[in-house]
Amino acid sequence: MKKIILFMLSFCSVLQAQDIISIPVYDIGKTSMDLAFELETDGAHSKVVLDCQSFLHGINIYDSSHNQTLQFYLYEPECHEVLSFVWDRNAKDENSCVRLDLVNNSYELLGSCDLD
């Protein structure tokens, strides 16, 4: 049990050690909650959920074992802004990118993550 906890803490530390996390979004899918959506992304992130329904809104990133590795908090209007941006681009068959700045606790909505 200690090894699992140490692994999870070290994995979270590595993920949070990054200043910027870019999440390319190729599609958006429903979850069991009305205002929480799974963002279809590349292999760098096993599962990404945009949660605009729970008490704490935000973008949640999970590893391949379904353990939450990062929660990026958003205010309600911010959450809906991200949702609208991704949804509108998806409706036009366009990809999008959500770039999270963990140091400044800010985000950027882009048409592509290729600018890295």
Side-chain angles (χ1 to χ4, degrees), residues 6-79:
L6 288 174
F7 172 75
M8 288 174 46
L9 289 174
S10 66
F11 187 76
C12 290
S13 298
V14 168
L15 186 58
Q16 293 195 15
Q18 299 174 357
D19 292 344
I20 306 281
I21 296 176
S22 294
I23 304 169
V25 181
Y26 306 115
D27 201 0
I28 186 167
K30 292 204 171 250
T31 65
S32 60
M33 297 190 306
D34 291 338
L35 289 175
F37 300 90
E38 186 168 349
L39 305 179
E40 185 181 310
T41 186
D42 61 11
H45 309 290
S46 292
K47 182 178 177 182
V48 178
V49 175
L50 175 63
D51 184 353
C52 297
Q53 182 168 334
S54 297
F55 180 71
L56 297 173
H57 301 317
I59 296 173
N60 304 309
I61 299 176
Y62 299 86
D63 65 15
S64 58
S65 299
H66 304 290
N67 297 313
Q68 186 173 4
T69 58
L70 177 79
Q71 183 169 23
F72 186 86
Y73 298 105
L74 297 169
Y75 291 106
E76 186 175 0
E78 294 173 327
C79 200

Side-chain angles (χ1 to χ4, degrees), residues 21-23 25 59 82 86 96-100 108-109 113:
I21 296 176
S22 294
I23 304 169
V25 181
I59 296 173
V82 174
V86 171
S96 54
C97 178
V98 179
R99 185 168 291 153
L100 307 177
E108 190 174 10
L109 303 173
C113 288

